[in-house]
mmCIF file with all atom_site columns, all heavy atoms in Angstrom:
data_model
loop_
_atom_site.group_PDB
_atom_site.id
_atom_site.type_symbol
_atom_site.label_atom_id
_atom_site.label_alt_id
_atom_site.label_comp_id
_atom_site.label_asym_id
_atom_site.label_entity_id
_atom_site.label_seq_id
_atom_site.pdbx_PDB_ins_code
_atom_site.Cartn_x
_atom_site.Cartn_y
_atom_site.Cartn_z
_atom_site.occupancy
_atom_site.B_iso_or_equiv
_atom_site.pdbx_formal_charge
_atom_site.auth_seq_id
_atom_site.auth_comp_id
_atom_site.auth_asym_id
_atom_site.auth_atom_id
_atom_site.pdbx_PDB_model_num
ATOM 1   N N   . TRP R 1 1  ? 89.491  104.426 154.221 1.00 92.00 ? 112 TRP R N   1
ATOM 2   C CA  . TRP R 1 1  ? 90.941  105.034 154.400 1.00 92.00 ? 112 TRP R CA  1
ATOM 3   C C   . TRP R 1 1  ? 90.870  105.888 155.674 1.00 92.00 ? 112 TRP R C   1
ATOM 4   O O   . TRP R 1 1  ? 91.929  106.019 156.313 1.00 92.00 ? 112 TRP R O   1
ATOM 5   C CB  . TRP R 1 1  ? 91.288  105.831 153.195 1.00 92.00 ? 112 TRP R CB  1
ATOM 6   C CG  . TRP R 1 1  ? 90.464  107.144 153.128 1.00 92.00 ? 112 TRP R CG  1
ATOM 7   C CD1 . TRP R 1 1  ? 89.334  107.258 152.268 1.00 92.00 ? 112 TRP R CD1 1
ATOM 8   C CD2 . TRP R 1 1  ? 90.802  108.416 153.409 1.00 92.00 ? 112 TRP R CD2 1
ATOM 9   N NE1 . TRP R 1 1  ? 88.915  108.524 152.313 1.00 92.00 ? 112 TRP R NE1 1
ATOM 10  C CE2 . TRP R 1 1  ? 89.729  109.197 152.929 1.00 92.00 ? 112 TRP R CE2 1
ATOM 11  C CE3 . TRP R 1 1  ? 91.864  108.921 154.206 1.00 92.00 ? 112 TRP R CE3 1
ATOM 12  C CZ2 . TRP R 1 1  ? 89.722  110.605 153.370 1.00 92.00 ? 112 TRP R CZ2 1
ATOM 13  C CZ3 . TRP R 1 1  ? 91.791  110.252 154.481 1.00 92.00 ? 112 TRP R CZ3 1
ATOM 14  C CH2 . TRP R 1 1  ? 90.695  111.088 154.145 1.00 92.00 ? 112 TRP R CH2 1
ATOM 15  N N   . ARG R 1 2  ? 89.821  106.572 156.036 1.00 90.00 ? 113 ARG R N   1
ATOM 16  C CA  . ARG R 1 2  ? 89.858  107.311 157.363 1.00 90.00 ? 113 ARG R CA  1
ATOM 17  C C   . ARG R 1 2  ? 90.015  106.450 158.528 1.00 90.00 ? 113 ARG R C   1
ATOM 18  O O   . ARG R 1 2  ? 90.637  106.875 159.423 1.00 90.00 ? 113 ARG R O   1
ATOM 19  C CB  . ARG R 1 2  ? 88.468  108.074 157.409 1.00 90.00 ? 113 ARG R CB  1
ATOM 20  C CG  . ARG R 1 2  ? 88.397  109.343 156.372 1.00 90.00 ? 113 ARG R CG  1
ATOM 21  C CD  . ARG R 1 2  ? 87.129  109.994 156.432 1.00 90.00 ? 113 ARG R CD  1
ATOM 22  N NE  . ARG R 1 2  ? 87.172  111.024 155.524 1.00 90.00 ? 113 ARG R NE  1
ATOM 23  C CZ  . ARG R 1 2  ? 86.133  111.777 155.364 1.00 90.00 ? 113 ARG R CZ  1
ATOM 24  N NH1 . ARG R 1 2  ? 85.133  111.712 155.962 1.00 90.00 ? 113 ARG R NH1 1
ATOM 25  N NH2 . ARG R 1 2  ? 86.124  112.534 154.253 1.00 90.00 ? 113 ARG R NH2 1
ATOM 26  N N   . THR R 1 3  ? 89.337  105.217 158.483 1.00 86.00 ? 114 THR R N   1
ATOM 27  C CA  . THR R 1 3  ? 89.460  104.309 159.657 1.00 86.00 ? 114 THR R CA  1
ATOM 28  C C   . THR R 1 3  ? 91.057  103.890 159.723 1.00 86.00 ? 114 THR R C   1
ATOM 29  O O   . THR R 1 3  ? 91.495  103.892 160.860 1.00 86.00 ? 114 THR R O   1
ATOM 30  C CB  . THR R 1 3  ? 88.568  103.205 159.564 1.00 86.00 ? 114 THR R CB  1
ATOM 31  O OG1 . THR R 1 3  ? 87.237  103.624 159.466 1.00 86.00 ? 114 THR R OG1 1
ATOM 32  C CG2 . THR R 1 3  ? 88.758  102.226 160.655 1.00 86.00 ? 114 THR R CG2 1
ATOM 33  N N   . VAL R 1 4  ? 91.492  103.510 158.647 1.00 90.00 ? 115 VAL R N   1
ATOM 34  C CA  . VAL R 1 4  ? 92.851  103.092 158.632 1.00 90.00 ? 115 VAL R CA  1
ATOM 35  C C   . VAL R 1 4  ? 93.820  104.170 159.051 1.00 90.00 ? 115 VAL R C   1
ATOM 36  O O   . VAL R 1 4  ? 94.815  103.915 159.884 1.00 90.00 ? 115 VAL R O   1
ATOM 37  C CB  . VAL R 1 4  ? 93.357  102.568 157.158 1.00 90.00 ? 115 VAL R CB  1
ATOM 38  C CG1 . VAL R 1 4  ? 94.811  102.347 157.136 1.00 90.00 ? 115 VAL R CG1 1
ATOM 39  C CG2 . VAL R 1 4  ? 92.423  101.394 156.902 1.00 90.00 ? 115 VAL R CG2 1
ATOM 40  N N   . LYS R 1 5  ? 93.629  105.458 158.681 1.00 91.00 ? 116 LYS R N   1
ATOM 41  C CA  . LYS R 1 5  ? 94.367  106.534 159.016 1.00 91.00 ? 116 LYS R CA  1
ATOM 42  C C   . LYS R 1 5  ? 94.393  106.879 160.494 1.00 91.00 ? 116 LYS R C   1
ATOM 43  O O   . LYS R 1 5  ? 95.333  107.156 161.108 1.00 91.00 ? 116 LYS R O   1
ATOM 44  C CB  . LYS R 1 5  ? 93.936  107.792 158.227 1.00 91.00 ? 116 LYS R CB  1
ATOM 45  C CG  . LYS R 1 5  ? 94.709  109.132 158.463 1.00 91.00 ? 116 LYS R CG  1
ATOM 46  C CD  . LYS R 1 5  ? 94.308  110.171 157.594 1.00 91.00 ? 116 LYS R CD  1
ATOM 47  C CE  . LYS R 1 5  ? 95.049  111.524 157.483 1.00 91.00 ? 116 LYS R CE  1
ATOM 48  N NZ  . LYS R 1 5  ? 95.207  112.068 158.819 1.00 91.00 ? 116 LYS R NZ  1
ATOM 49  N N   . GLN R 1 6  ? 93.139  106.795 161.082 1.00 86.00 ? 117 GLN R N   1
ATOM 50  C CA  . GLN R 1 6  ? 92.865  107.071 162.450 1.00 86.00 ? 117 GLN R CA  1
ATOM 51  C C   . GLN R 1 6  ? 93.638  105.917 163.197 1.00 86.00 ? 117 GLN R C   1
ATOM 52  O O   . GLN R 1 6  ? 94.328  106.329 164.231 1.00 86.00 ? 117 GLN R O   1
ATOM 53  C CB  . GLN R 1 6  ? 91.393  106.895 162.902 1.00 86.00 ? 117 GLN R CB  1
ATOM 54  C CG  . GLN R 1 6  ? 91.075  107.116 164.249 1.00 86.00 ? 117 GLN R CG  1
ATOM 55  C CD  . GLN R 1 6  ? 89.614  106.939 164.559 1.00 86.00 ? 117 GLN R CD  1
ATOM 56  O OE1 . GLN R 1 6  ? 88.888  106.349 163.872 1.00 86.00 ? 117 GLN R OE1 1
ATOM 57  N NE2 . GLN R 1 6  ? 89.269  107.402 165.796 1.00 86.00 ? 117 GLN R NE2 1
ATOM 58  N N   . LEU R 1 7  ? 93.543  104.707 162.909 1.00 88.00 ? 118 LEU R N   1
ATOM 59  C CA  . LEU R 1 7  ? 94.327  103.627 163.622 1.00 88.00 ? 118 LEU R CA  1
ATOM 60  C C   . LEU R 1 7  ? 95.799  103.811 163.545 1.00 88.00 ? 118 LEU R C   1
ATOM 61  O O   . LEU R 1 7  ? 96.520  103.492 164.427 1.00 88.00 ? 118 LEU R O   1
ATOM 62  C CB  . LEU R 1 7  ? 93.729  102.264 163.049 1.00 88.00 ? 118 LEU R CB  1
ATOM 63  C CG  . LEU R 1 7  ? 92.432  101.769 163.177 1.00 88.00 ? 118 LEU R CG  1
ATOM 64  C CD1 . LEU R 1 7  ? 91.994  100.484 162.463 1.00 88.00 ? 118 LEU R CD1 1
ATOM 65  C CD2 . LEU R 1 7  ? 92.123  101.653 164.689 1.00 88.00 ? 118 LEU R CD2 1
ATOM 66  N N   . ALA R 1 8  ? 96.259  104.231 162.235 1.00 92.00 ? 119 ALA R N   1
ATOM 67  C CA  . ALA R 1 8  ? 97.707  104.370 162.056 1.00 92.00 ? 119 ALA R CA  1
ATOM 68  C C   . ALA R 1 8  ? 98.327  105.461 162.900 1.00 92.00 ? 119 ALA R C   1
ATOM 69  O O   . ALA R 1 8  ? 99.420  105.293 163.358 1.00 92.00 ? 119 ALA R O   1
ATOM 70  C CB  . ALA R 1 8  ? 97.975  104.514 160.672 1.00 92.00 ? 119 ALA R CB  1
ATOM 71  N N   . GLU R 1 9  ? 97.497  106.569 163.087 1.00 91.00 ? 120 GLU R N   1
ATOM 72  C CA  . GLU R 1 9  ? 98.089  107.715 163.703 1.00 91.00 ? 120 GLU R CA  1
ATOM 73  C C   . GLU R 1 9  ? 97.887  107.824 165.279 1.00 91.00 ? 120 GLU R C   1
ATOM 74  O O   . GLU R 1 9  ? 98.420  108.622 165.846 1.00 91.00 ? 120 GLU R O   1
ATOM 75  C CB  . GLU R 1 9  ? 97.355  108.905 163.000 1.00 91.00 ? 120 GLU R CB  1
ATOM 76  C CG  . GLU R 1 9  ? 97.743  109.163 161.662 1.00 91.00 ? 120 GLU R CG  1
ATOM 77  C CD  . GLU R 1 9  ? 97.131  110.359 160.950 1.00 91.00 ? 120 GLU R CD  1
ATOM 78  O OE1 . GLU R 1 9  ? 96.107  110.967 161.538 1.00 91.00 ? 120 GLU R OE1 1
ATOM 79  O OE2 . GLU R 1 9  ? 97.549  110.763 159.938 1.00 91.00 ? 120 GLU R OE2 1
ATOM 80  N N   . ALA R 1 10 ? 97.136  106.728 165.771 1.00 90.00 ? 121 ALA R N   1
ATOM 81  C CA  . ALA R 1 10 ? 96.871  106.756 167.213 1.00 90.00 ? 121 ALA R CA  1
ATOM 82  C C   . ALA R 1 10 ? 98.197  106.442 167.925 1.00 90.00 ? 121 ALA R C   1
ATOM 83  O O   . ALA R 1 10 ? 98.867  105.449 167.692 1.00 90.00 ? 121 ALA R O   1
ATOM 84  C CB  . ALA R 1 10 ? 95.778  105.758 167.498 1.00 90.00 ? 121 ALA R CB  1
ATOM 85  N N   . LYS R 1 11 ? 98.522  107.262 168.899 1.00 90.00 ? 122 LYS R N   1
ATOM 86  C CA  . LYS R 1 11 ? 99.745  107.113 169.741 1.00 90.00 ? 122 LYS R CA  1
ATOM 87  C C   . LYS R 1 11 ? 99.414  106.131 170.927 1.00 90.00 ? 122 LYS R C   1
ATOM 88  O O   . LYS R 1 11 ? 100.389 105.626 171.538 1.00 90.00 ? 122 LYS R O   1
ATOM 89  C CB  . LYS R 1 11 ? 100.335 108.405 170.080 1.00 90.00 ? 122 LYS R CB  1
ATOM 90  C CG  . LYS R 1 11 ? 100.827 109.234 168.803 1.00 90.00 ? 122 LYS R CG  1
ATOM 91  C CD  . LYS R 1 11 ? 101.472 110.562 169.365 1.00 90.00 ? 122 LYS R CD  1
ATOM 92  C CE  . LYS R 1 11 ? 101.931 111.395 168.095 1.00 90.00 ? 122 LYS R CE  1
ATOM 93  N NZ  . LYS R 1 11 ? 101.574 111.065 166.695 1.00 90.00 ? 122 LYS R NZ  1
ATOM 94  N N   . ALA R 1 12 ? 98.136  106.221 171.294 1.00 86.00 ? 123 ALA R N   1
ATOM 95  C CA  . ALA R 1 12 ? 97.794  105.351 172.541 1.00 86.00 ? 123 ALA R CA  1
ATOM 96  C C   . ALA R 1 12 ? 96.488  104.818 172.147 1.00 86.00 ? 123 ALA R C   1
ATOM 97  O O   . ALA R 1 12 ? 95.648  105.357 171.502 1.00 86.00 ? 123 ALA R O   1
ATOM 98  C CB  . ALA R 1 12 ? 97.795  106.295 173.715 1.00 86.00 ? 123 ALA R CB  1
ATOM 99  N N   . PRO R 1 13 ? 96.097  103.629 172.820 1.00 82.00 ? 124 PRO R N   1
ATOM 100 C CA  . PRO R 1 13 ? 94.822  103.040 172.522 1.00 82.00 ? 124 PRO R CA  1
ATOM 101 C C   . PRO R 1 13 ? 93.633  104.000 172.868 1.00 82.00 ? 124 PRO R C   1
ATOM 102 O O   . PRO R 1 13 ? 92.474  103.883 172.147 1.00 82.00 ? 124 PRO R O   1
ATOM 103 C CB  . PRO R 1 13 ? 94.749  101.766 173.335 1.00 82.00 ? 124 PRO R CB  1
ATOM 104 C CG  . PRO R 1 13 ? 96.223  101.523 173.665 1.00 82.00 ? 124 PRO R CG  1
ATOM 105 C CD  . PRO R 1 13 ? 96.868  102.758 173.466 1.00 82.00 ? 124 PRO R CD  1
ATOM 106 N N   . GLU R 1 14 ? 93.862  104.686 174.011 1.00 79.00 ? 125 GLU R N   1
ATOM 107 C CA  . GLU R 1 14 ? 92.752  105.616 174.344 1.00 79.00 ? 125 GLU R CA  1
ATOM 108 C C   . GLU R 1 14 ? 92.263  106.581 173.298 1.00 79.00 ? 125 GLU R C   1
ATOM 109 O O   . GLU R 1 14 ? 91.169  107.116 173.416 1.00 79.00 ? 125 GLU R O   1
ATOM 110 C CB  . GLU R 1 14 ? 93.166  106.462 175.605 1.00 79.00 ? 125 GLU R CB  1
ATOM 111 C CG  . GLU R 1 14 ? 93.393  105.514 176.845 1.00 79.00 ? 125 GLU R CG  1
ATOM 112 C CD  . GLU R 1 14 ? 94.681  104.661 176.800 1.00 79.00 ? 125 GLU R CD  1
ATOM 113 O OE1 . GLU R 1 14 ? 95.597  105.074 176.150 1.00 79.00 ? 125 GLU R OE1 1
ATOM 114 O OE2 . GLU R 1 14 ? 94.644  103.773 177.607 1.00 79.00 ? 125 GLU R OE2 1
ATOM 115 N N   . GLU R 1 15 ? 93.181  106.941 172.481 1.00 81.00 ? 126 GLU R N   1
ATOM 116 C CA  . GLU R 1 15 ? 92.831  107.818 171.294 1.00 81.00 ? 126 GLU R CA  1
ATOM 117 C C   . GLU R 1 15 ? 91.697  107.170 170.381 1.00 81.00 ? 126 GLU R C   1
ATOM 118 O O   . GLU R 1 15 ? 91.027  107.948 169.624 1.00 81.00 ? 126 GLU R O   1
ATOM 119 C CB  . GLU R 1 15 ? 93.948  108.229 170.497 1.00 81.00 ? 126 GLU R CB  1
ATOM 120 C CG  . GLU R 1 15 ? 94.923  109.002 171.223 1.00 81.00 ? 126 GLU R CG  1
ATOM 121 C CD  . GLU R 1 15 ? 96.306  109.401 170.405 1.00 81.00 ? 126 GLU R CD  1
ATOM 122 O OE1 . GLU R 1 15 ? 96.115  109.298 169.118 1.00 81.00 ? 126 GLU R OE1 1
ATOM 123 O OE2 . GLU R 1 15 ? 97.220  109.743 170.999 1.00 81.00 ? 126 GLU R OE2 1
ATOM 124 N N   . LEU R 1 16 ? 91.667  105.935 170.404 1.00 81.00 ? 127 LEU R N   1
ATOM 125 C CA  . LEU R 1 16 ? 90.655  105.186 169.582 1.00 81.00 ? 127 LEU R CA  1
ATOM 126 C C   . LEU R 1 16 ? 89.207  105.005 170.219 1.00 81.00 ? 127 LEU R C   1
ATOM 127 O O   . LEU R 1 16 ? 88.195  104.683 169.550 1.00 81.00 ? 127 LEU R O   1
ATOM 128 C CB  . LEU R 1 16 ? 91.116  103.759 169.162 1.00 81.00 ? 127 LEU R CB  1
ATOM 129 C CG  . LEU R 1 16 ? 92.519  103.742 168.498 1.00 81.00 ? 127 LEU R CG  1
ATOM 130 C CD1 . LEU R 1 16 ? 92.989  102.334 168.354 1.00 81.00 ? 127 LEU R CD1 1
ATOM 131 C CD2 . LEU R 1 16 ? 92.416  104.496 167.166 1.00 81.00 ? 127 LEU R CD2 1
ATOM 132 N N   . PHE R 1 17 ? 89.118  105.374 171.460 1.00 78.00 ? 128 PHE R N   1
ATOM 133 C CA  . PHE R 1 17 ? 87.951  105.313 172.158 1.00 78.00 ? 128 PHE R CA  1
ATOM 134 C C   . PHE R 1 17 ? 87.162  106.587 171.905 1.00 78.00 ? 128 PHE R C   1
ATOM 135 O O   . PHE R 1 17 ? 87.144  107.466 172.865 1.00 78.00 ? 128 PHE R O   1
ATOM 136 C CB  . PHE R 1 17 ? 88.126  104.930 173.812 1.00 78.00 ? 128 PHE R CB  1
ATOM 137 C CG  . PHE R 1 17 ? 88.858  103.614 173.991 1.00 78.00 ? 128 PHE R CG  1
ATOM 138 C CD1 . PHE R 1 17 ? 89.752  103.591 174.896 1.00 78.00 ? 128 PHE R CD1 1
ATOM 139 C CD2 . PHE R 1 17 ? 88.626  102.584 173.203 1.00 78.00 ? 128 PHE R CD2 1
ATOM 140 C CE1 . PHE R 1 17 ? 90.382  102.550 175.064 1.00 78.00 ? 128 PHE R CE1 1
ATOM 141 C CE2 . PHE R 1 17 ? 89.240  101.390 173.313 1.00 78.00 ? 128 PHE R CE2 1
ATOM 142 C CZ  . PHE R 1 17 ? 90.225  101.256 174.369 1.00 78.00 ? 128 PHE R CZ  1
ATOM 143 N N   . THR R 1 18 ? 86.472  106.605 170.982 1.00 74.00 ? 129 THR R N   1
ATOM 144 C CA  . THR R 1 18 ? 85.578  107.993 170.595 1.00 74.00 ? 129 THR R CA  1
ATOM 145 C C   . THR R 1 18 ? 84.262  107.472 170.134 1.00 74.00 ? 129 THR R C   1
ATOM 146 O O   . THR R 1 18 ? 84.077  106.290 169.807 1.00 74.00 ? 129 THR R O   1
ATOM 147 C CB  . THR R 1 18 ? 86.262  108.817 169.556 1.00 74.00 ? 129 THR R CB  1
ATOM 148 O OG1 . THR R 1 18 ? 86.453  107.975 168.346 1.00 74.00 ? 129 THR R OG1 1
ATOM 149 C CG2 . THR R 1 18 ? 87.774  109.279 169.983 1.00 74.00 ? 129 THR R CG2 1
ATOM 150 N N   . GLY R 1 19 ? 83.465  108.424 170.126 1.00 71.00 ? 130 GLY R N   1
ATOM 151 C CA  . GLY R 1 19 ? 82.062  108.085 169.659 1.00 71.00 ? 130 GLY R CA  1
ATOM 152 C C   . GLY R 1 19 ? 80.987  108.372 170.624 1.00 71.00 ? 130 GLY R C   1
ATOM 153 O O   . GLY R 1 19 ? 81.186  108.901 171.710 1.00 71.00 ? 130 GLY R O   1
ATOM 154 N N   . GLN R 1 20 ? 79.827  108.083 170.119 1.00 64.00 ? 131 GLN R N   1
ATOM 155 C CA  . GLN R 1 20 ? 78.493  108.512 170.930 1.00 64.00 ? 131 GLN R CA  1
ATOM 156 C C   . GLN R 1 20 ? 78.392  107.718 172.117 1.00 64.00 ? 131 GLN R C   1
ATOM 157 O O   . GLN R 1 20 ? 77.751  108.244 173.154 1.00 64.00 ? 131 GLN R O   1
ATOM 158 C CB  . GLN R 1 20 ? 77.214  108.287 170.123 1.00 64.00 ? 131 GLN R CB  1
ATOM 159 C CG  . GLN R 1 20 ? 77.147  106.890 169.669 1.00 64.00 ? 131 GLN R CG  1
ATOM 160 C CD  . GLN R 1 20 ? 75.709  106.788 168.958 1.00 64.00 ? 131 GLN R CD  1
ATOM 161 O OE1 . GLN R 1 20 ? 74.881  107.580 168.956 1.00 64.00 ? 131 GLN R OE1 1
ATOM 162 N NE2 . GLN R 1 20 ? 75.523  105.620 168.309 1.00 64.00 ? 131 GLN R NE2 1
ATOM 163 N N   . TRP R 1 21 ? 79.036  106.629 172.383 1.00 63.00 ? 132 TRP R N   1
ATOM 164 C CA  . TRP R 1 21 ? 78.867  105.787 173.610 1.00 63.00 ? 132 TRP R CA  1
ATOM 165 C C   . TRP R 1 21 ? 79.913  106.101 174.680 1.00 63.00 ? 132 TRP R C   1
ATOM 166 O O   . TRP R 1 21 ? 79.969  105.678 175.780 1.00 63.00 ? 132 TRP R O   1
ATOM 167 C CB  . TRP R 1 21 ? 78.895  104.354 173.292 1.00 63.00 ? 132 TRP R CB  1
ATOM 168 C CG  . TRP R 1 21 ? 77.878  103.952 172.265 1.00 63.00 ? 132 TRP R CG  1
ATOM 169 C CD1 . TRP R 1 21 ? 78.167  103.540 170.919 1.00 63.00 ? 132 TRP R CD1 1
ATOM 170 C CD2 . TRP R 1 21 ? 76.452  104.004 172.379 1.00 63.00 ? 132 TRP R CD2 1
ATOM 171 N NE1 . TRP R 1 21 ? 76.903  103.335 170.284 1.00 63.00 ? 132 TRP R NE1 1
ATOM 172 C CE2 . TRP R 1 21 ? 75.955  103.616 171.195 1.00 63.00 ? 132 TRP R CE2 1
ATOM 173 C CE3 . TRP R 1 21 ? 75.554  104.472 173.367 1.00 63.00 ? 132 TRP R CE3 1
ATOM 174 C CZ2 . TRP R 1 21 ? 74.576  103.536 171.054 1.00 63.00 ? 132 TRP R CZ2 1
ATOM 175 C CZ3 . TRP R 1 21 ? 74.319  104.296 173.359 1.00 63.00 ? 132 TRP R CZ3 1
ATOM 176 C CH2 . TRP R 1 21 ? 73.790  103.850 172.023 1.00 63.00 ? 132 TRP R CH2 1
ATOM 177 N N   . GLN R 1 22 ? 80.856  106.907 174.281 1.00 65.00 ? 133 GLN R N   1
ATOM 178 C CA  . GLN R 1 22 ? 81.942  107.266 175.321 1.00 65.00 ? 133 GLN R CA  1
ATOM 179 C C   . GLN R 1 22 ? 81.469  108.254 176.302 1.00 65.00 ? 133 GLN R C   1
ATOM 180 O O   . GLN R 1 22 ? 80.603  109.099 176.055 1.00 65.00 ? 133 GLN R O   1
ATOM 181 C CB  . GLN R 1 22 ? 83.204  107.929 174.606 1.00 65.00 ? 133 GLN R CB  1
ATOM 182 C CG  . GLN R 1 22 ? 83.931  106.904 173.680 1.00 65.00 ? 133 GLN R CG  1
ATOM 183 C CD  . GLN R 1 22 ? 84.255  105.571 174.425 1.00 65.00 ? 133 GLN R CD  1
ATOM 184 O OE1 . GLN R 1 22 ? 83.796  104.603 174.078 1.00 65.00 ? 133 GLN R OE1 1
ATOM 185 N NE2 . GLN R 1 22 ? 85.010  105.688 175.448 1.00 65.00 ? 133 GLN R NE2 1
ATOM 186 N N   . ASN R 1 23 ? 81.994  107.989 177.565 1.00 71.00 ? 134 ASN R N   1
ATOM 187 C CA  . ASN R 1 23 ? 81.620  109.023 178.808 1.00 71.00 ? 134 ASN R CA  1
ATOM 188 C C   . ASN R 1 23 ? 80.178  108.941 179.049 1.00 71.00 ? 134 ASN R C   1
ATOM 189 O O   . ASN R 1 23 ? 79.630  109.880 179.682 1.00 71.00 ? 134 ASN R O   1
ATOM 190 C CB  . ASN R 1 23 ? 82.111  110.335 178.497 1.00 71.00 ? 134 ASN R CB  1
ATOM 191 C CG  . ASN R 1 23 ? 83.559  110.560 178.185 1.00 71.00 ? 134 ASN R CG  1
ATOM 192 O OD1 . ASN R 1 23 ? 84.345  109.805 178.895 1.00 71.00 ? 134 ASN R OD1 1
ATOM 193 N ND2 . ASN R 1 23 ? 83.939  111.255 177.281 1.00 71.00 ? 134 ASN R ND2 1
ATOM 194 N N   . ARG R 1 24 ? 79.476  107.789 178.706 1.00 77.00 ? 135 ARG R N   1
ATOM 195 C CA  . ARG R 1 24 ? 78.108  107.740 179.126 1.00 77.00 ? 135 ARG R CA  1
ATOM 196 C C   . ARG R 1 24 ? 77.923  106.889 180.385 1.00 77.00 ? 135 ARG R C   1
ATOM 197 O O   . ARG R 1 24 ? 78.662  106.063 180.644 1.00 77.00 ? 135 ARG R O   1
ATOM 198 C CB  . ARG R 1 24 ? 77.423  106.837 177.950 1.00 77.00 ? 135 ARG R CB  1
ATOM 199 C CG  . ARG R 1 24 ? 76.062  107.046 177.796 1.00 77.00 ? 135 ARG R CG  1
ATOM 200 C CD  . ARG R 1 24 ? 75.444  106.475 176.504 1.00 77.00 ? 135 ARG R CD  1
ATOM 201 N NE  . ARG R 1 24 ? 74.148  106.619 176.610 1.00 77.00 ? 135 ARG R NE  1
ATOM 202 C CZ  . ARG R 1 24 ? 73.231  105.959 175.881 1.00 77.00 ? 135 ARG R CZ  1
ATOM 203 N NH1 . ARG R 1 24 ? 73.745  105.016 175.080 1.00 77.00 ? 135 ARG R NH1 1
ATOM 204 N NH2 . ARG R 1 24 ? 71.916  106.178 176.015 1.00 77.00 ? 135 ARG R NH2 1
#
């Protein structure tokens, strides 16, 4: 449900690019 909520609430695709591999 957290994944679905995160996807549903994102206003832009960039908001979904998170995690340990970002900005590496």
Side-chain angles (χ1 to χ4, degrees):
W112 68 271
R113 288 183 185 173
T114 301
V115 173
K116 184 176 186 303
Q117 179 185 18
L118 293 171
E120 292 178 349
K122 295 185 180 14
E125 291 77 18
E126 292 180 24
L127 301 174
F128 300 137
T129 60
Q131 65 178 340
W132 304 112
Q133 292 308 115
N134 301 321
R135 209 166 172 200

